[in-house]
Amino acid sequence: MPNEILNVVALQKFFFTTQGTVRAVDRVSFSITENETLGLVGESGSGKSTVAYTVVGIYAPTDGKIYFRGEDRSQPVAKRPKSLKRAIQIVFQDPGTSLNPRRTIKQILELPLKVHHLTAGDRKLEVANLLRRVELPADYMYKSPHMLGGGERQMVAIARALATEPKLIILDEPTSALDVSIQAKIINMLIKFQEEMNLSYLFITHDLSLMRNVATRVAIMYLGKICEVAYTAEFFRNPLHPYTKMLLSSIPVVLEEEEELKPTKVISKGEIPSPVNVPPGCSFHTRCPVRKEICMQADPEMVEASEGHFVRCHLVSGQEAVASS
Ligand SMILES: Nc1ncnc2c1ncn2[C@@H]1O[C@H](COP(=O)(O)OP(=O)(O)OP(=O)(O)O)[C@@H](O)[C@H]1O
Ligand SMILES: [Mg+2]
């Protein structure tokens, strides 16, 4: 694939607990190319953060491979070379806990600059420059995180990620704890940085509508597995998986012609099952409004329904059109 940055192959991450084996991520595969945003969308507990933490090396994979620019980088963060740690950054949902409360913003932003062996004066200039890039006043460097608002803290977290000049930033629900107006501001900044720095993003969210203007491609995760991936326009125009249709039927649409295409309200049956007790067959069958006998027996394979549009559903792969809701 041209300019592939990240390639995740059959990634598995299980947690072995007293309640049983949590199959948080189960054979997830995806890739991200240069300058691309892959939106990873799913309900709470579907395994999105576990994917993020494993890619970034906080967790060691139970099985599967993580390739970064073609090299096998499946090892956990302690065993990764420094250059790789700098190349992949992560921004968490809650900037309140991801920034050390006992440090000033200057100390927080200086840390990733240390490798450059700058003088104290140059480091200060560089911190001011990072703050300027995220549109915060330079004198914020003397404040501590608790003196900042939630949006401002998240901008500091983004500035810290930018400081290492990464290739890939994993954004784990970066705006879902923030007000809508601040959310828009941060999203616009992220888009700007992506263009300026040729960045790739793995953008994790439960907010599918947010992906429309942000993602190059959208991947839907359900109970530890990816069930559909497509380029954003195709994804919203021609959703194939019954779960995707269910998610899309519950979000507001922007364009009139999309209203016509939008699946009519699909009633969600039940809650997401526990990843300790993953249903046999297709894991979505317990909630699926169009399930057939086979769905309760066999786990469907991912198939390419059209170019770049992948779906894991017996009703699609079996050429049996999903009743168009
Ligand atoms: N360290 C852990 N030990 C045991 N189980 C875990 C651990 N971390 C996550 N899990 C479980 O793995 C599953 C996936 O969790 P994960 O946090 O990846 O979901 P998520 O999609 O990020 O959810 P959310 O939208 O709420 O952030 C959940 O059932 C969760 O309880
Ligand atoms: Mg999460």
Side-chain angles (χ1 to χ4, degrees):
M1 196 181 269
N3 300 326
E4 188 178 85
I5 295 293
L6 182 74
N7 187 19
V8 169
V9 182
L11 186 70
Q12 260 182 350
K13 180 63 192 174
F14 294 173
F15 299 105
F16 302 99
T17 71
T18 48
Q19 278 83 44
T21 302
V22 182
R23 304 168 82 90
V25 175
D26 198 0
R27 277 167 290 134
V28 159
S29 301
F30 61 87
S31 63
I32 303 180
T33 56
E34 197 167 75
N35 213 10
E36 182 182 49
T37 298
L38 178 68
L40 185 61
V41 183
E43 287 168 288
S44 184
S46 56
K48 307 179 297 296
S49 292
T50 306
V51 169
Y53 297 168
T54 313
V55 168
V56 95
I58 297 171
Y59 295 146
T62 306
D63 199 9
K65 293 285 185 198
I66 298 162
Y67 297 94
F68 185 74
R69 296 171 120 177
E71 289 191 55
D72 185 351
R73 299 301 197 183
S74 311
Q75 66 268 54
V77 77
K79 295 188 178 146
R80 290 184 177 187
K82 273 217 175 78
S83 59
L84 179 65
K85 288 187 222 169
R86 298 174 63 78
I88 307 179
Q89 291 291 311
I90 183 164
V91 173
F92 298 95
Q93 171 172 359
D94 184 359
T97 53
S98 70
L99 303 178
N100 187 335
R102 287 183 297 278
R103 299 263 189 272
T104 63
I105 302 304
K106 180 162 175 283
Q107 289 169 323
I108 289 168
L109 293 179
E110 263 179 355
L111 213 57
L113 299 172
K114 286 265 158 71
V115 288
H116 293 316
H117 305 295
L118 303 171
T119 63
D122 284 347
R123 273 210 304 274
K124 190 172 158 190
L125 277 178
E126 199 45 47
V127 167
N129 185 34
L130 283 168
L131 286 171
R132 187 184 49 76
R133 291 181 71 189
V134 293
E135 297 172 24
L136 291 177
D139 62 4
Y140 268 44
M141 71 174 82
Y142 304 111
K143 296 186 187 233
S144 61
H146 75 268
M147 296 162 80
L148 274 55
E152 292 172 333
R153 279 202 289 262
Q154 195 59 301
M155 286 169 197
V156 171
I158 292 167
R160 180 177 58 182
L162 295 177
T164 66
E165 291 170 17
K167 289 304 295 173
L168 170 70
I169 303 183
I170 297 173
L171 302 156
D172 190 358
E173 307 251 17
T175 60
S176 37
L178 306 173
D179 288 350
V180 176
S181 58
I182 299 169
Q183 177 172 334
K185 189 172 174 191
I186 290 185
I187 299 283
N188 287 335
M189 261 187 212
L190 290 169
I191 293 171
K192 190 181 82 179
F193 297 139
Q194 178 164 49
E195 283 163 12
E196 286 172 3
M197 299 172 73
N198 213 21
L199 288 167
S200 303
Y201 291 144
L202 175 61
F203 199 129
I204 292 172
T205 181
H206 59 265
D207 183 356
L208 188 49
S209 55
L210 184 65
M211 289 298 100
R212 185 194 296 275
N213 301 314
V214 175
T216 319
R217 285 181 299 139
V218 181
I220 298 291
M221 211 169 162
Y222 184 79
L223 215 52
K225 292 175 183 167
I226 288 180
C227 60
E228 182 159 12
V229 193
Y231 282 92
T232 306
E234 162 76 4
F235 179 90
F236 284 96
R237 196 170 40 227
N238 186 28
L240 294 174
H241 199 285
Y243 180 55
T244 310
K245 293 185 181 196
M246 194 175 103
L247 293 177
L248 279 172
S249 74
S250 58
I251 65 168
V253 288
V254 186
L255 307 171
E256 232 171 71
E257 60 260 39
E258 284 181 349
E259 185 65 54
E260 283 167 28
L261 293 168
K262 180 176 151 175
T264 46
K265 183 93 182 148
V266 179
I267 304 302
S268 152
K269 291 205 272 184
E271 291 299 304
I272 183 168
S274 158
V276 179
N277 291 305
V278 177
C282 171
S283 54
F284 183 61
H285 87 253
T286 55
R287 292 170 77 189
C288 186
V290 290
R291 68 167 175 237
K292 297 265 188 309
E293 197 60 34
I294 185 169
C295 308
M296 290 171 249
Q297 289 150 8
D299 194 11
E301 294 291 325
M302 189 69 115
V303 295
E304 190 167 14
S306 61
E307 203 186 333
H309 191 161
F310 295 85
V311 64
R312 227 165 44 75
C313 173
H314 287 300
L315 283 81
V316 177
S317 54
Q319 310 300 316
E320 227 173 323
V322 178
S324 61
S325 334

